[in-house]
Amino acid sequence: MTFGEQPAYLRVAGDLRKKIVDGQLPPHTRLPSQARIRQEYGVSDTVALEARKVLMAEGLVEGRSGSGTYVRERPVPRRIARSGYRPTGGATPFRQEQADGEGRGTWESSSEQSEASVAVAERLGIEPGERVMCTKYLFREGGEAMMLSTSWEPLAVTGRTPVMLPEEGPLGGMGVVERMRAIDVIVDNVTEEVGARPGLAEELLVLGGVPGHVVLVIQRTFYASGRPVETADVVIPADRYRVAYHLPVK
């Protein structure tokens, strides 16, 4: 088989990918063996192995110990709504979506004081090492882990106030806008930057997936008169979810 200028392993991977997408290799079907790929495409063992690695990195196939490599079930992406920074009712977007529909979502969180890293300090406009409240969230849908979030708030803003702990106190769980308003900090802007990267091992362990699976990362920051008062990283498995934005027109 002539492959032209494109590397042979990518051409082999592309052909196998097409067979998976077209249904010629349906979910749970064993991928052709390395020897079979070598024979069918007229390539070396190295090329056959690299092609299989490509499909595995793309999340199309998975290895099963002692059994071989199989085509993965392709999940139908579900929607995660992003509705701006102040959904009706004051709750966070996730909580509001669960309340408005037939959501089966649950979440858990933990907060602890820490020192701002260089990256977090830059996003919050503070000095590295300054004290922040770090809160980690795990969101589930129907019992399945669907989203991780880590937020940081400068204690210079919330320290020694009733809203210092985001999920505790009279406004616990009400979201950044309502909590900040309670201490006379008026949030008037929010930015979200969306990117993608391979999931970290600890993220994939919780969210499910294999090394190389891609996650969406939303870097969100709330501002009050130009001053950052909270920043967060939201991590979502890209193969199972799509982020839908509903933005008001002014």
Side-chain angles (χ1 to χ4, degrees):
M1 182 176 291
T2 301
F3 291 102
E5 296 182 359
Q6 188 179 40
Y9 75 95
L10 290 181
R11 293 293 300 272
V12 173
D15 190 65
L16 291 171
R17 184 191 303 111
K18 185 176 186 300
K19 291 180 178 179
I20 293 172
V21 172
D22 291 346
Q24 297 178 50
L25 291 172
H28 310 297
T29 299
R30 185 172 181 175
L31 194 72
S33 67
Q34 188 167 312
R36 174 82 176 273
I37 292 174
R38 183 187 65 219
Q39 180 180 13
E40 182 176 345
Y41 292 94
V43 296
S44 66
D45 280 332
T46 299
V47 169
L49 178 61
E50 290 302 313
R52 290 159 65 93
K53 286 182 178 180
V54 168
L55 298 177
M56 191 167 292
E58 293 175 351
L60 294 174
V61 301
E62 61 184 355
R64 298 180 186 175
S65 180
S67 179
T69 304
Y70 291 79
V71 178
R72 294 182 68 235
E73 187 81 43
R74 298 182 68 202
V76 177
R78 286 168 281 178
R79 181 179 63 91
I80 293 180
R82 308 294 296 177
S83 304
Y85 67 82
R86 191 182 176 188
T88 304
T92 63
F94 180 82
R95 289 177 170 89
Q96 189 65 40
E97 187 175 43
Q98 299 303 312
D100 291 344
E102 298 180 354
R104 298 171 296 154
T106 60
W107 52 88
E108 52 199 68
S109 65
S110 63
S111 297
E112 65 177 3
Q113 295 188 33
S114 63
E115 296 182 352
S117 67
V118 173
V120 169
E122 182 177 359
R123 288 163 59 175
L124 288 174
I126 61 178
E127 292 297 321
E130 285 194 36
R131 303 295 291 176
V132 294
M133 183 62 69
C134 177
T135 303
K136 296 184 177 182
Y137 296 86
L138 169 59
F139 297 91
R140 301 181 187 272
E141 182 179 48
E144 178 185 286
M146 61 174 290
M147 182 168 62
L148 299 172
S149 177
T150 304
S151 71
W152 299 269
E153 296 179 353
L155 287 174
V157 175
T158 62
R160 298 184 180 181
T161 73
V163 301
M164 184 174 72
L165 293 170
E167 295 295 319
E168 297 182 21
L171 291 178
M174 291 302 292
V176 176
V177 177
E178 298 297 328
R179 290 175 45 250
M180 292 295 171
R181 181 184 290 110
I183 57 173
D184 296 324
V185 175
I186 306 303
V187 173
D188 54 19
N189 191 26
V190 60
T191 64
E192 291 196 349
E193 297 182 10
V194 183
R197 60 167 170 75
L200 303 179
E202 55 268 29
E203 294 168 342
L204 296 176
L205 181 64
V206 176
L207 294 172
V210 298
H213 276 193
V214 173
V215 295
L216 299 174
V217 181
I218 302 173
Q219 289 191 359
R220 181 198 68 206
T221 304
F222 287 96
Y223 296 86
S225 299
R227 178 185 185 182
V229 295
E230 190 258 17
T231 193
D233 285 341
V234 181
V235 179
I236 303 167
D239 64 330
R240 302 203 306 271
Y241 292 93
R242 296 291 181 266
V243 179
Y245 281 86
H246 300 275
L247 305 176
V249 177
K250 296 183 179 180

